[in-house]
Amino acid sequence: MRPPLSVGAVGQPRWLHPGAWWVWALGLATAASRTLNPLLLLVIIGVAAVVVSARRPDAPWARSFAFFVRLGILIIVLRVLVQLVLGAAIGTTTLISLPGIGLPDWMAGVRLGGPVTLESLLMALYDGLRLATIIICIGAANSLASPSRLLKSVPAALYEIGVSVVVALTFAPQLVADVTRVQAARHLRGRATRGPRAIAGAAMPVLEGALERSVTLAAAMDSRGYGRRSDTSARRRRAIAAVLLAGLVAACIGTYGLVAAGSTAALSGLMLLAGMSLSIGAIVWSARTAIRTRYRPDPWWLPEWLVAGSGIAVAVCCIATSWWFPAGMETPFDPPTWPSLPLLATLGLAIALTPAITAPPIPVPFVSAAMRAPDAVEVPA
Amino acid sequence: MSRHAVRLGGRSIAAIVSTTAIGIVAFGWPLLASPESTAVAHADDAPWLFVVVIPLLLAVVLAQFTDGGMDAKAVALLGVLAAVVAAMRPLGGGTAGLEPIWVILVLGGRALGPGFGFSLGAVALFSSALLTGGVGPWLPFQMLGAAWVGLGAGLLPRATGRAEIVLLAAYGAVAAFAYGLLMNLWFWPFTEGLPAAIAFSPGAPLSENLVAWLHFTIVTSLGYDIPRAVLTVVLIALAGPTILSALRRASRRANFGAVPVFVTEAQ
Amino acid sequence: MIRFDDVSITYDGRTTPVLEHVDLHLREGELVLVVGRTGSGKSSLLQAINGLVPHFTGGTLSGRVLVDGRDTRTHPPRELADVVGVVPQDPASSFVADTVEEELAFGMECLGLPNDVMRRRVEETLDLLGLHELRSRPLLTLSAGQQQRVAIGAVLAAHPRVLVLDEPTSALDPSAAEEILAALQRLVHDLGITVVMAEHRLERVVQYADRIIIVPGDAQPVAIGTPQEMMRLAPIAPPVVELARAAGWHPLPLTVRDARRAAGPLRELLVGQPPPLRAVAPDGAGETLVQATDLSVRYGTRWALRGVSLSVGRGEVVALMGRNGAGKSTLLNAMVGLRTAASGSVMTHDHDPASLKGSELLQSVGLVPQQPGDLLEATSVADECRAADRDASVTPGTTRALLALLAPEILDGVHPRDLSEGQRLLLALAVVLAPRPPLLLLDEPTRGLDYPTKLRLVDALRDLARGGHGILLATHDVELAAEVATRVIVLADGEVVADGPTADVVVASPMFAPQVAKVLAPFPWLTVSDVITTIGPLILRTHAPISGDAVG
């Protein structure tokens, strides 16, 4: 075993722990959520894009980054359009004046059209950009962190559910192949192979096959020792149940405290925190009766620390900036001013760029385990 | 009736009930929260809090299910049906909410019991998000919403034959539609800054926010919610009986909770 | 190692036991073959070894099963996972993980082995089964033989003392089957593992067995004995044994080598005899039903067929042989219009099959796919037959009547998914035959079939050929080809490498020759019945050598 801070062979291709990517991306997203400074937001998007392009594997799930970027653009466009058509004007710099339409009374307060001001457009743009940036950061995590490796890192208490998700991920592409095969069989019976009717006709044999498979799979899992546990005493079980129950009740009280009048934030928050910790503790405790181990768990070495740390650093820098120098994080739009780059936040973003170098390169040639269809599928029908 | 695929013990029921209670707040706080409450005071952060809390709660529920109530058969069936849902999800291609997946969630919950329905909803949406790289803050809410749909289907009253299909179709319509409304609700707080008529205004009275939310729904998602509900009804009416009998056959074949009998003396 | 003490098994909802009063004692390091029809209780016997029966399936078990000293009454399957490894019939549907390495580790993870042990055993298993190069491959991309090896490796990694396999070679081509059997042989000899294996294809496995268990079904007593003892009396036997029984050779040879040594006098009898005539269409060559001319088909960049030219005429039964992936299925698919030609053409009855639709297509060519269940969509046999009549626009009742001829025991109300694999094939065959297509194509029809069902299929195919149908069947089953084929076409790498009368093609081929041909080579007799029709049973017996050592 290597020490926890082992660097691993430098530059040796391997998979970075998916958790590290998520910490990094969530740190970036947190930073984005703290600011309405368009320049800063654009830099955050830039950082995400650079790291993704440097460390993204060639797998179907990894192609989702582009989708998230498109989603982000859509959010901005929608936000601005809504402002244009429905928004109340702020400020005085009128750009154009759209014809206004009054809506019936039951839509009281909604007014279509009217004067469009630069100020209100900027406000909508910045607001949309912030949400889009958060979405894009999450998209970065989606395309950098391998889902099947993420599943390997689920805590022991969720192992069973993790297994069913692995089964689902492996089996879903196979189902698509099954549908093709069954549609071929429909052709053999002289039936339609396209259109909704054909899909419906093909669905049943595929579903039946899938259900049959689940029984075979279960028998195989049972025979291979799945679900082995050591014995638990009744006393211990009762204790676990008590802790779980207490935790859940506390979490409920805490949650309702947050939305009820007259309770303090600190008390409710604490209650919720304590409740969640107790219930999770109970689950973890009860999972310890399982005797499973894990094969080649993803290590958490120096690169993981560096990547995750850079995410935390950027979040901390931005939160600190918004705390001490709030002016730099907001860009006034009434009257419009040019945005500036606050020093501390920019430093944080520079740190967030480092994973493009510190994360180990992707093993090549990489074949996606989860989604790759057999090469040259020979449809046997 | 076959035995349920996931046995619900006292602990599991407690976990479901409290998750549901907290989930109601997580979705409904913009409408329910008192103007003086902490949630309203921190309206910007409240949705993010629930983005963290809900997955943890779902984890607690599912871990609780697997701790004793769920054998290899249930886990395998769960994985396989989740794969079916995940493979079906792109079929609609997101066009006008034509997602055929609700059929499987509703019928799965009905045929295999509430515990299984709950797990299926959560696991299926999670798997399909992993498969398509669609993990995001919306995911916990989708998982919980779908889990409720499956749970509810498992809790429907007894009925057979045509009556059962009518019942399921009606439930499917309501569930698919309600799911859309719930999904609006979770990100509605982010609409602060939209025109007042459709935006969430923290601290405003329930009546005002409710109207605004309904308007928001009409403006944004009704065009998705109605086709989704209609599609679900049509599919359940057409394919419901066949799928249901296939699921029940599978459940019989799996023989959940099989009791082995040993006789020491030869007969 | 494994002990059955007066074991009877009754499933829930059944009144009669599937197995009754079974007493067995299997020793360490034995390779035991379990033989029996589908539905005879063979699978129940296998599953009782690791407690799947009755813990997983439900039901009542009386008596006692002990494995390595552990009683299955108190040990459910998961508690026996470190002693018994079970390889199910269809390995692909039993995989839990998505890559080879993870799949090998899954069982060990469940058993809670420490990481360094797992790491070492995964490497050992990869080496033992020659899976090294596949270690990070997704399981779905493996060939059937590779998947079977992974499935075996996945249970072996847990170091069980007993390995239970359900038809490990049924989906494999001959060479992949050889590989699996060689690997098993090594496990028995080098590691002393006890192997219990069910298999229908006796000709492949019988020579490896130390003992054979015969499960006759219908609650008849289960018998166990050495292969020589059991094969002397068994109702089903590989061709080499049947030949030996007909010739009265003693001791009974189980391998081609032993039989060849005993067959010297028999071969002498064949000198100068005219080789048996295969039943061919009236004038030797009937009307051509399908004609492929310089046909090429490709998937993306891979060419599945390259310039294939062949034809099938009325009354012919043509066996299409070759490795997995040689292009057999593609060729069949092209003949029904499921694949379009990249160049060249395929014509059925002067039509391009791709241009035919609906019942027109059905009336010119029918294909029974590898998984016949794919064809079946209805919820009962009767509905399926009615739907087939509609599809084919034939008089209602046609399909049902055909099915009654092929498989009289199938009842109307049964769900097609509840039929056995063989029955499902016969139902699919009835569905395909209803529109009376002159050309019938079958893809791997004998996969998973037991011996009686195979005989029924052989009879049906012969009748069809006599009735003027042309039949093209893709198969790995050399004995089937020897039994029914009038002509054999061998595909390799998408090209036709041999095309000629069965005897001409298979006799000299080490891969495709049936056992009888190997015993009698260079004489072109392919089956036991051919030999008997040529010289008659009595002559055979008088010329039998006294001992197996006698070499002619």
Side-chain angles (χ1 to χ4, degrees), chain A residues 22-346:
Chain A
W22 274 100
V23 172
W24 170 81
L26 291 178
L28 267 185
T30 311
S33 74
R34 293 288 128 193
T35 179
L36 268 178
N37 179 336
L39 210 52
L40 215 48
L41 289 170
L42 287 175
V43 174
I44 292 178
I45 295 177
V47 167
V50 167
V51 175
V52 165
S53 65
R55 287 294 180 266
R56 178 180 60 175
D58 177 26
W61 44 265
R63 282 171 215 141
S64 58
F65 188 68
F67 165 76
F68 278 82
V69 171
R70 279 201 296 277
L71 184 63
I73 294 171
L74 183 72
I75 287 172
I76 299 173
V77 171
L78 278 181
R79 181 73 186 80
V80 171
L81 272 183
V82 166
Q83 182 69 35
L84 211 64
V85 180
L86 295 169
I90 323 169
T92 51
T93 328
T94 305
L95 295 175
I96 44 166
S97 206
L98 296 174
I101 305 163
L103 282 191
D105 279 351
W106 58 272
M107 288 290 279
V110 174
R111 182 197 51 84
L112 296 179
V116 177
T117 61
L118 177 65
E119 290 85 353
S120 53
L121 276 190
L122 281 181
M123 182 194 77
L125 183 68
Y126 296 170
D127 197 42
L129 184 61
R130 175 169 63 177
L131 199 53
T133 309
I134 294 175
I135 297 291
I136 289 171
C137 292
I138 289 161
N142 271 299
S143 33
L144 288 167
S146 147
S148 54
R149 303 214 145 235
L150 195 65
L151 286 172
K152 283 193 74 178
S153 316
V154 296
L158 287 173
Y159 179 81
E160 278 94 345
I161 288 297
V163 168
S164 64
V165 176
V166 172
V167 170
L169 292 190
T170 341
F171 192 41
Q174 211 174 325
L175 273 173
V176 177
D178 283 358
V179 170
T180 330
R181 214 189 56 227
V182 171
Q183 277 182 334
R186 285 182 63 82
H187 172 84
L188 299 178
R189 292 193 66 171
R191 296 173 175 179
T193 51
R194 284 198 195 142
R197 187 178 287 249
I199 293 181
M204 274 327 286
V206 171
L207 182 67
E208 296 265 12
L211 293 173
E212 267 169 30
R213 180 194 145 114
S214 81
V215 180
T216 325
L217 178 62
M221 285 163 64
D222 228 2
S223 315
R224 288 168 70 185
Y226 173 86
R228 262 192 176 204
R229 295 194 168 226
S230 50
D231 289 330
T232 342
S233 67
R235 211 166 122 198
R236 183 172 160 163
R237 271 207 299 278
R238 274 198 299 278
I240 291 173
V243 174
L244 181 72
L245 209 62
L248 290 171
V249 170
C252 282
I253 296 175
T255 310
Y256 278 83
L258 284 177
V259 293
S263 59
T264 61
L267 191 63
S268 313
L270 217 60
M271 198 77 170
L272 179 59
L273 185 70
M276 295 306 300
S277 318
L278 279 180
S279 1
I280 292 166
I283 293 300
V284 170
W285 187 16
S286 105
R288 294 182 76 173
T289 58
I291 52 169
R292 287 176 304 266
T293 46
R294 195 147 302 174
Y295 175 71
R296 290 180 89 174
D298 278 339
W300 190 282
W301 289 335
L302 189 61
E304 276 81 6
W305 286 113
L306 289 177
V307 170
S310 72
I312 293 169
V314 67
V316 168
C317 286
C318 285
I319 291 172
T321 316
S322 69
W323 201 265
W324 285 303
F325 316 103
M329 301 299 275
E330 308 284 327
T331 303
F333 39 79
D334 185 18
T337 40
W338 283 110
S340 59
L341 275 183
L343 187 67
L344 187 56
T346 315

Side-chain angles (χ1 to χ4, degrees), chain C residues 11 22 78 233 375 436:
Chain C
Y11 287 118
V22 179
R78 56 178 175 274
L233 305 165
L375 282 182
R436 304 210 65 74

